Amino acid sequence: MIDGSIILVGGPASGKTNYIARLWLAFQAKKGTLRADHLPENVEYVNEAVSHVLSRKFAPRSERNMEESARRDFTLSVRGDEGAGPARNLTVPDITGELWKRALETYELPQEWIDALAGCSSAIIFIRANSKLNRQPMDWVTAREVLKGHEDDDDDDTEEDDADYGLDEDEDGEQIARTVVRPLAGQPATTEVKALAVSPEEGPTEPILADAEVHATSTQDVGLPAQVGFCELVRYLTVTLGERPDGSKPRVAVVVTAWDTIHPDTRAAGPAKYLQDQFPMLAGRLRVPGRLEFGVFGMSIVGGNLRNAAFRRSLKRRNLSDLGYTAVMRDGGVAEDPDVTLPLAWALGD
Amino acid sequence: MRGACTNTNCTFNATRSCVVGNPPENCPHRPELTDEGDELEEDNGLGDVDAGVEEEATPRALAPVSVGGAVLTAPDDDLPFLPASRTLGIEQANAMMESRPTCMVGIVGLAGAGKTAALVSAYLLLSKDQFDGYSYADSDTLRAFEEITGASRTWQKGSPPEQITSHTTLSNDREAGFLHLRLWRHADDRLLDVLLPDLPGEWSQALIGRNDADRLLFLRSASVIWLMVDGRQFANDHKVPRARFDAQVLIERLADLLEDRRPKIFLVPTWQDSQLFPQGEADDLSAYAGTFGFETELAPVASFSWSDDMEPGHGVAKLFDRSLCALPPPAEFWPDTEAEEGDRRLQAFRGRA
């Protein structure tokens, strides 16, 4: 039997747990490209998430202490090709979003996880659409404000006001008392020089943002812009993921979760276009695969927002494994495939 | 050059003024830093520094291996590190240039000329996909870009870094080093690697003032040089003589430093949103550089803009584009040659075939 591991990558609330729950329903209902022969023994963690979804609620953010030693990995035996492929043991190590977040902030990751990554040749990166946790890149006005303070530090060019110099002073800078005729001619000249010296500085001193806003933006620099975080995660995977058994490139599926929350016009252009518009740096990085192979998917686990009361009511008594879809590009258009195992199957090489 | 003060009662390291009243450069409490030590540190950061050399808040403080025993206790939570994407050292930059075609841009200019602003501006343009003709493809120094953009690391006031050092972990000070960008050029669908040094203006000042060129020797590998000047000073009647003088001395110093190499110099006046660069000044500088054999081009930028008439980042993408186009065309791989008598056998064989 072939062994394989897949690592799930994503910050807090990126949709990892909900995806696992929905995946579980697909396995249990024996639907999709990837099939599980039997349910594994220890599924407590997954069941917890499944029970949330079955009661038509999104699983809450997995609030767990990352120092907690008990890992809740799960292992199951799956076959590709709708159950016709060879059986393989699939291990899904359970790295919490908090741990990924910390890895981004401090570059630190416990050795056991570095080992786990090296043992994997597949990964899924979860990116939640329309998440308020997705920080946007700095805008021009904020950057200008930040840089202004910064440039003042660097600027050793003393802005000496030379308007006072050269007005017939003696060597100690004292006015020589013979400028009775000067004021008339000298006055306009003096003001002109002053205006010149001051004018370049006038712009910067204009309050562009209210003080409170400037303060808010300057203290915001905890955490990276979302796309930079995603690029860094890709970089971590580039340096850690192991080769596939057949020597081919490790595969990384990029899954845009909460796909149904995106405007239909945007959805029609497909997940890759969505990434291009929202996270251009990540899209650029995915365009240049290098050591990894990338696939981009959109994912809606139940086809709508469970926090919407009307939608939630509409699901009463429905079998949730019939709902939800994967958005993939096929034949030049976007297809909504009811098979939610697609990203996993692709990442595993099917 | 002397290092940090070792007198625990002295506040020199923080305030730059000696409580005992010693002149800073002759103070016996400040150990002398030798050139050999610096070079070793540049190699691997673990050079055999003279015993007793202790510096605070730098990675070098961890280096006195000859004394034996750890100086600092290990942090409680010593998790392994993933490689950081901070500025690259000379060795890493060399490795990159050896492994693939890389355009190294030499950036010189005084403090306040807008070197950092131009780098930040390019990064912001890329992060919004507004970089004309190019898109972001990758960067080995993503975090360094974030740091300078958010100004979360700044040059330490009064004591900017003295050397380019390899920088692999988080620290609180900004280190001199190279920034890397891989750009995707839309026009010909090519990926281009660019290395941009992020250096304090004091280095250029020291080059002008006392021809302190050793740490800038990497400029000999530069494909092009950006000579950044504060455009406002050239438009200011009172400041232009000094600005002109500094730029000219810098050109002369560069000519010395570069020996027989003459990469193209881009004269980059910043703050175009506030003052247009006087064409006469540009012509004069260009003529001056010409006397040293340099070819120059004027490439004004407005890294940020206070003016409604000019978009922020004006000229930055163009500066990159022209720098990348300034590269000599790649040599033809194994060109056909005419066989001649006395050629080596393999070439002769190819020629006849």
Side-chain angles (χ1 to χ4, degrees), chain A residues 102 104-111 114 137-140 143-144 146-148 150-151 153-157 159 162 193 200-201 204 208 221 224-225 227-228 231-232 235-236 239-240 276 280-281 284-285 287-288, chain B residues 77 79-86 111 114 116-117 120-121 123-130 135-138 142-143 146 149-151 153-155 157 170 174 184 191 232-233 238-239 271 303-306 312:
Chain A
R102 175 158 157 189
L104 285 178
E105 283 162 5
T106 65
Y107 302 107
E108 289 174 337
L109 198 62
Q111 188 63 44
I114 291 183
M138 197 178 281
D139 61 68
W140 286 104
R144 193 171 59 181
V146 167
L147 204 73
K148 199 181 117 238
H150 180 92
E151 278 209 326
D153 278 351
D154 280 355
D155 200 350
D156 62 358
D157 177 25
E159 293 280 325
D162 59 3
V193 168
E201 297 304 317
I208 302 292
D221 59 1
L224 299 168
Q227 60 176 352
V228 175
C231 287
E232 285 286 272
R235 195 173 61 82
Y236 290 166
V239 295
T240 53
Q276 173 64 42
M281 289 172 76
R285 177 65 192 85
R287 209 182 288 121
V288 188
Chain B
D77 195 2
L79 294 173
F81 284 101
L82 290 155
S85 53
R86 307 193 68 207
T116 305
V120 169
S121 181
Y123 179 69
L124 284 182
L125 287 170
L126 286 169
S127 70
K128 293 164 191 296
D129 208 15
Q130 293 168 349
S135 291
Y136 174 89
D138 201 0
L142 202 47
R143 211 65 77 88
E146 275 302 313
T149 303
R153 307 268 187 276
T154 52
W155 304 127
K157 184 87 176 159
L170 283 175
R174 180 168 161 198
W184 170 46
L191 292 173
R232 294 172 301 180
Q233 296 186 346
H238 298 271
K239 293 184 175 171
W271 291 89
S303 303
F304 293 83
S305 178
W306 302 100

Side-chain angles (χ1 to χ4, degrees), chain B residues 11-87:
Chain B
T11 57
F12 176 82
N13 294 336
T15 62
R16 314 311 286 176
S17 60
C18 182
V19 289
V20 195
N22 286 334
E25 279 312 312
N26 300 321
C27 179
H29 294 294
R30 298 184 64 209
E32 276 193 59
L33 296 182
T34 60
D35 287 347
E36 292 78 15
D38 286 351
E39 272 168 30
L40 280 168
E41 280 156 25
E42 204 174 292
D43 287 340
N44 53 15
L46 288 172
D48 189 12
V49 183
D50 291 353
V53 174
E54 286 180 24
E55 282 185 89
E56 288 175 14
T58 73
R60 292 177 209 169
L62 300 174
V65 282
S66 53
V67 179
V71 178
L72 300 171
T73 53
D76 297 334
D77 195 2
D78 54 344
L79 294 173
F81 284 101
L82 290 155
S85 53
R86 307 193 68 207
T87 48

Side-chain angles (χ1 to χ4, degrees), chain B residues 126-270:
Chain B
L126 286 169
S127 70
K128 293 164 191 296
D129 208 15
Q130 293 168 349
F131 200 99
D132 201 16
Y134 293 81
S135 291
Y136 174 89
D138 201 0
S139 168
D140 287 352
T141 58
L142 202 47
R143 211 65 77 88
F145 273 111
E146 275 302 313
E147 287 169 3
I148 61 168
T149 303
S152 56
R153 307 268 187 276
T154 52
W155 304 127
Q156 225 179 321
K157 184 87 176 159
S159 61
E162 295 290 341
Q163 294 293 337
I164 290 178
T165 43
S166 181
H167 207 63
T168 52
T169 54
L170 283 175
S171 80
N172 291 324
D173 50 350
R174 180 168 161 198
E175 295 289 320
F178 294 95
L179 296 165
H180 166 247
L181 276 177
R182 179 176 286 182
L183 302 174
W184 170 46
R185 182 156 67 192
H186 303 163
D188 54 2
D189 196 21
R190 270 183 70 186
L191 292 173
L192 300 154
D193 287 284
V194 190
L195 282 172
L196 307 143
D198 178 31
L199 311 176
E202 282 81 354
W203 290 24
S204 293
Q205 185 67 60
L207 182 69
I208 293 174
R210 48 190 153 92
N211 205 8
D212 188 351
D214 287 355
R215 55 193 173 184
L216 289 169
L217 285 181
F218 71 87
L219 288 173
R220 291 179 183 166
S221 315
S223 311
V224 292
I225 288 182
W226 295 354
L227 176 59
M228 316 277 297
V229 294
D230 184 341
R232 294 172 301 180
Q233 296 186 346
F234 280 84
N236 180 322
D237 291 347
H238 298 271
K239 293 184 175 171
V240 65
R242 177 61 195 268
R244 199 188 285 146
F245 173 79
D246 282 342
Q248 287 178 347
V249 176
L250 197 49
I251 289 170
E252 188 170 341
R253 297 289 200 207
L254 281 174
D256 279 351
L257 187 161
L258 295 169
E259 294 177 336
D260 55 344
R261 298 171 186 81
R262 287 295 178 266
K264 181 180 270 186
I265 292 185
F266 284 90
L267 178 62
V268 187
T270 52

Side-chain angles (χ1 to χ4, degrees), chain A residues 55-273:
Chain A
S55 56
R56 293 171 292 133
K57 288 177 185 163
F58 288 124
R61 210 169 137 171
S62 322
E63 295 279 358
R64 288 198 292 118
N65 183 354
M66 57 192 171
E67 311 300 342
E68 199 177 302
S69 58
R71 280 172 59 165
R72 294 194 279 185
D73 303 359
F74 64 90
T75 303
L76 75 168
S77 169
V78 292
R79 292 171 183 274
D81 287 342
E82 302 188 346
R88 73 175 117 199
N89 269 331
L90 175 65
T91 307
V92 184
D94 171 34
I95 301 193
T96 65
E98 302 295 339
L99 208 56
W100 285 118
K101 187 162 164 261
R102 175 158 157 189
L104 285 178
E105 283 162 5
T106 65
Y107 302 107
E108 289 174 337
L109 198 62
Q111 188 63 44
E112 60 173 318
W113 293 119
I114 291 183
D115 296 343
L117 279 162
C120 287
S121 53
S122 318
I124 304 183
I125 297 183
F126 290 85
I127 294 174
R128 168 123 173 249
N130 297 321
S131 166
K132 60 177 186 297
L133 297 176
N134 289 344
R135 280 188 71 218
Q136 291 304 304
M138 197 178 281
D139 61 68
W140 286 104
V141 174
T142 315
R144 193 171 59 181
E145 289 297 317
V146 167
L147 204 73
K148 199 181 117 238
H150 180 92
E151 278 209 326
D152 288 348
D153 278 351
D154 280 355
D155 200 350
D156 62 358
D157 177 25
T158 45
E159 293 280 325
E160 57 192 35
D161 188 1
D162 59 3
D164 293 340
Y165 191 83
L167 293 178
D168 284 333
E169 294 154 337
D170 63 16
E171 60 272 36
D172 294 326
E174 305 287 336
Q175 195 82 19
I176 297 172
R178 60 177 166 80
T179 52
V180 191
V181 206
R182 294 283 302 170
L184 277 177
Q187 202 60 34
T190 311
T191 46
E192 191 191 339
V193 168
K194 274 195 171 148
L196 250 177
V198 171
S199 63
E201 297 304 317
E202 266 174 8
T205 51
E206 266 176 28
I208 302 292
L209 296 172
D211 283 353
E213 283 174 294
V214 172
H215 181 71
T217 50
S218 64
T219 51
Q220 250 176 19
D221 59 1
V222 283
L224 299 168
Q227 60 176 352
V228 175
F230 299 144
C231 287
E232 285 286 272
L233 289 175
V234 168
R235 195 173 61 82
Y236 290 166
L237 293 177
T238 309
V239 295
T240 53
L241 281 186
E243 295 287 319
R244 285 156 59 87
D246 62 0
S248 58
K249 290 179 177 180
R251 281 191 168 183
V252 175
V254 178
V255 174
V256 181
T257 58
W259 183 247
D260 51 80
T261 63
I262 298 169
H263 192 276
D265 293 350
T266 314
R267 286 210 300 266
K273 181 71 170 63

Side-chain angles (χ1 to χ4, degrees), chain A residues 3-73:
Chain A
D3 286 341
S5 292
I6 185 158
I7 203 112
L8 305 184
V9 185
S14 55
K16 294 187 296 297
T17 311
N18 281 300
Y19 179 66
I20 291 175
R22 178 62 185 80
L23 201 58
W24 212 247
L25 295 177
F27 284 148
Q28 189 264 328
K30 309 232 181 290
K31 287 177 183 168
T33 307
L34 214 57
R35 304 274 171 98
D37 288 340
H38 0 256
L39 292 179
E41 288 166 15
N42 184 1
V43 292
E44 268 179 38
Y45 151 62
V46 182
N47 271 350
E48 204 178 298
V50 169
S51 63
H52 277 107
V53 172
L54 286 179
S55 56
R56 293 171 292 133
K57 288 177 185 163
F58 288 124
R61 210 169 137 171
S62 322
E63 295 279 358
R64 288 198 292 118
N65 183 354
M66 57 192 171
E67 311 300 342
E68 199 177 302
S69 58
R71 280 172 59 165
R72 294 194 279 185
D73 303 359

